[in-house]
Amino acid sequence: MALEKALQQKNKIFLETKFKCRIVPSRDYPESSIADYFLWVINRYINKEEDKRFFKALESKFVEIYDVYDNEGRGKIYDEFDKFDTIKAIGLNKK
């Protein structure tokens, strides 16, 4: 459901994105574990700000981070020109 919501929000801003999503056991598809780890890294970066080491180690691997909660629920894409950081993630820069 989260993936579908993210794509719906992104489609409002950009061209329609097509995807096919199946839930499969990770023992058959270990690459799914990579996506899970990246999501864990971002979650830890946001919720445990004092421990940024995992995110900083992989920061160059993130091409885009799509924040479904930003921009009053319309979403926001962070990329190499507008880097994602905890201040943006937790909304301290918002009025």
Side-chain angles (χ1 to χ4, degrees):
M1 286 176 26
L3 177 60
E4 289 175 4
K5 181 179 177 183
L7 288 172
Q8 286 172 1
Q9 292 296 330
K10 189 172 181 178
N11 289 341
K12 290 178 184 176
I13 301 169
F14 300 98
L15 298 175
E16 186 174 341
T17 304
K18 305 267 188 226
F19 77 97
K20 184 176 182 180
C21 183
R22 289 186 312 129
I23 298 175
V24 295
S26 63
R27 66 175 156 55
D28 295 333
Y29 295 92
E31 62 275 9
S32 296
S33 298
I34 296 168
D36 289 341
Y37 182 71
F38 272 36
L39 292 171
W40 176 84
V41 165
I42 292 174
N43 186 33
R44 187 167 181 92
Y45 179 66
I46 293 169
N47 294 312
K48 300 209 179 268
E49 190 175 348
E50 69 279 358
D51 190 4
K52 298 179 180 182
R53 62 191 165 134
F54 299 104
F55 183 81
K56 292 297 179 187
L58 294 174
E59 189 171 19
S60 65
K61 305 298 181 197
F62 292 102
V63 176
E64 286 184 348
I65 296 176
Y66 183 68
D67 184 350
V68 297
Y69 302 107
D70 202 348
N71 199 12
E72 297 177 2
R74 292 187 302 269
K76 173 149 178 47
I77 296 174
Y78 295 98
D79 57 23
E80 63 182 301
F81 304 107
D82 185 12
K83 298 272 186 196
F84 182 80
D85 62 35
T86 52
I87 292 171
K88 293 175 184 174
I90 59 176
L92 293 177
N93 62 340
K94 296 176 183 155
K95 295 178 183 178

